[in-house]
Each structure stands twice: as structure tokens, then as C-alpha cells.
Amino acid sequence: MEKALASASLPFKLLLSCPSGLSPPQVSVAFDVAYDRILHQDIELENSISEIWDQKVQDNKSLYNGTKFRYGGHNLLCGDGSNQDSHVCLHLGLTDYRTFMGTNLNPQWEKFLVPSEDDSIRCQHTSSPLGNGAIVETSDRKIIVLQRSTNVGEFPGHYVFPGGHPEPQEIGITSHHYGKDLTGSELINKKVSQEMFDSIIREVVEEIGVPVSTLCNTVFIGISRRELNVRPTAFFSIKCSLESKEIQQLYLSAQDGYESTQLYAVSLVYRFEGMW
């Protein structure tokens, strides 16, 4: 297990690598307002967030401002060096789709960044909603890759792993206004941590159409940040008991199949450069 920093020439930066995978008990969450976005001191830049959102809504009436978890960093504990003793704590706050469109996807997104080697400081003014992605391995040792639809708002037509976002609303979170006693805080953190794993299973089922019962051995394998727009994503490895040909058939009736145009089953020997 290691932290790895990619060179500036690469499209993604690997913030955390856990190649052996961490099980749910090895992944915890510190959910707190301290990990929310910090406003930028440039008033005009801040105002551009509302301006961009208003224009986007005017152009697309179907847009809505959903709440998302914001990635604010992590702590890694390696114990005695064995994978069984390793543990990661994700630092999460709250943000929303409107702020994501107005900061990370702002044409001036680089102006929101702070010069710093510390990733959490560098991105403290961006929305940075935490996405998720799954490396789904089939029983015939293929990896599932999707080609995004041309109708999606972000990177249409690109090749991606199945995924989306953990959703605060799924566990009843709409704000930080909940019981602040110790027991309440611990319960919230446990629920958010469980949502990290539940959400990636949900996304895989909805996007490629496989039954939940065919998925197993879900482990957390790391966090990457796309250099363009500094977008963070948590990645998981998941085994599927189906062969790739069976998944191809199920994909045709997937609930969220409209988000992609094609499903590919790629051999494990293929190098997924740039996919993270």
C-alpha cells in the first residue's frame, strides 16, 4: 500500500493506492463540516458559480441540484505493514452539483486552485464531489468498460469504468444539521462508510444490468484525481460470477443503460492507461 503522485503530464493523479484491497471494516469515514469547501476570496470568481448554474438550467430544464459528498483528504494507517492491519479514514464533507458545475467544471477552474503540495489545500476552493468507479472482473477474467453516451454532461463519448457517486440522500443526509453527540456522530460516520460500498454495488447493477447476487468480494483499492478539473474518484474492485457474454446480454436492459452506448469486456492483460 502506498501513496503515489503522478507527474503533471499524466491525466490522473493517484492520491491513494491500496492494490491488495481494503474490506469494509478497514475503511472508515470522518464526516464533518470541516471538510466542506472554503469560499474563494475573489468575489467575481465566486459569483461565476451562480452565473454558470443559471445558464446551465436555462439551457437544460432537467438539471437539478443534488447533494454530494465532498472529498477533503484521508488518513492512512498501515499497522505492522500487513494488509490485514491497514486502515484508511476518508475525510468527507458536503457539496452539491451546482457548486461542482461552477468550480470544477468552470472554464476558469484553475483559478480556484491554491499552489500547494497538499492536495486538500490545493483543492480547498473546489466542490470536489467524490465519485466512485468499479473494476468489475468477470468469471472469464475480463474487465468491464463502458463508452459514455453523447447526451451526458461530463466527458461524453469517453471510455469509463462503471460508477457514479455515493449519495448522501440514500442515508438521509441533506445537511450537517444532525445530532452532534458522540453516539450520533459515530452512527453517521458508520452510515457514510457503508454507503461508500453500497453505492458502488448500486451503480454497477444499474449501469450494466447484473443482479446484485452475482457480485462479491468488493474491496476499496484507492483514490485518483483527474488533473483536468481536479475531479476525485474512489475506486473499488468487484468480482462478478457471470461470464462477459452473459453481462453483454443483461446490459441491453440495464436501468441506467442510457448513460452509455456500448459495453466492452476487455482482457486483463490490456493496459488501462488513462482510465483512472
Side-chain angles (χ1 to χ4, degrees):
M1 180 176 307
E2 60 183 335
K3 292 185 179 180
L5 300 181
S7 69
S9 62
L10 296 178
F12 292 86
K13 180 189 224 177
L14 195 54
L15 303 180
L16 174 64
S17 176
C18 309
S20 298
L22 299 182
S23 63
Q26 294 175 282
V27 180
S28 64
V29 165
F31 175 66
D32 196 275
V33 67
Y35 304 119
D36 284 5
R37 171 181 174 264
I38 297 174
L39 298 181
H40 199 283
Q41 61 184 6
D42 186 330
I43 302 301
E44 289 188 8
L45 192 60
E46 280 293 317
N47 288 341
S48 71
I49 297 174
S50 295
E51 294 167 1
I52 288 173
W53 178 252
D54 290 345
Q55 185 61 54
K56 291 289 185 182
V57 171
Q58 185 175 334
D59 296 340
N60 184 356
K61 302 298 184 184
S62 65
L63 281 180
Y64 69 95
N65 186 25
T67 304
K68 303 295 178 186
F69 289 112
R70 180 181 185 275
Y71 176 68
H74 65 268
N75 281 338
L76 177 64
L77 301 175
C78 294
D80 61 3
S82 66
N83 188 66
Q84 290 75 17
D85 288 336
S86 298
H87 183 95
V88 65
C89 179
L90 304 179
H91 300 164
L92 302 180
L94 277 181
T95 186
D96 54 37
Y97 190 62
R98 169 185 172 276
T99 311
F100 171 58
M101 295 289 289
T103 58
N104 294 82
L105 298 188
N106 191 317
Q108 304 181 83
W109 65 272
E110 290 176 295
K111 291 186 177 181
F112 284 96
L113 302 183
V114 176
S116 175
E117 292 298 318
D118 186 324
D119 183 76
S120 61
I121 294 176
R122 178 174 179 248
C123 301
Q124 65 184 7
H125 299 307
T126 63
S127 173
S128 295
L130 183 65
N132 59 22
I135 314 299
V136 180
E137 182 181 342
T138 66
S139 63
D140 53 341
R141 294 184 62 76
K142 301 288 182 66
I143 297 296
I144 300 302
V145 176
L146 299 173
Q147 184 171 18
R148 286 173 65 78
S149 166
T150 56
N151 297 322
V152 295
E154 192 179 359
F155 287 87
H158 283 235
Y159 297 94
V160 297
F161 295 116
H165 298 85
E167 300 289 352
Q169 296 93 330
E170 285 288 332
I171 52 176
I173 292 178
T174 56
S175 71
H176 286 289
H177 296 131
Y178 56 86
K180 277 295 185 179
D181 58 284
L182 180 60
T183 303
S185 297
E186 287 184 346
L187 179 60
I188 290 292
N189 287 339
K190 287 180 180 179
K191 285 186 174 182
V192 177
S193 180
Q194 186 60 48
E195 171 62 8
M196 296 297 111
F197 285 84
D198 290 347
S199 62
I200 193 58
I201 294 294
R202 196 165 59 238
E203 294 287 358
V204 169
V205 169
E206 293 174 356
E207 291 194 1
I208 69 176
V210 298
V212 174
S213 60
T214 66
L215 302 174
C216 64
N217 298 339
T218 303
V219 292
F220 171 80
I221 57 174
I223 300 174
S224 74
R225 190 186 287 280
R226 190 174 61 214
E227 289 290 6
L228 177 65
N229 308 127
V230 291
R231 176 82 141 87
T233 302
F235 275 88
F236 298 80
S237 172
I238 303 176
K239 303 286 187 182
C240 181
S241 62
L242 301 176
E243 292 190 353
S244 54
K245 289 182 180 179
E246 296 175 282
I247 297 174
Q248 290 279 10
Q249 289 300 311
L250 291 168
Y251 169 72
L252 299 177
S253 57
Q255 177 180 327
D256 288 349
Y258 64 90
E259 294 182 357
S260 59
T261 57
Q262 187 68 46
L263 180 148
Y264 298 91
V266 184
S267 172
L268 273 172
V269 300
Y270 185 84
R271 293 185 66 188
F272 292 94
E273 294 182 355
M275 289 294 296
W276 278 48

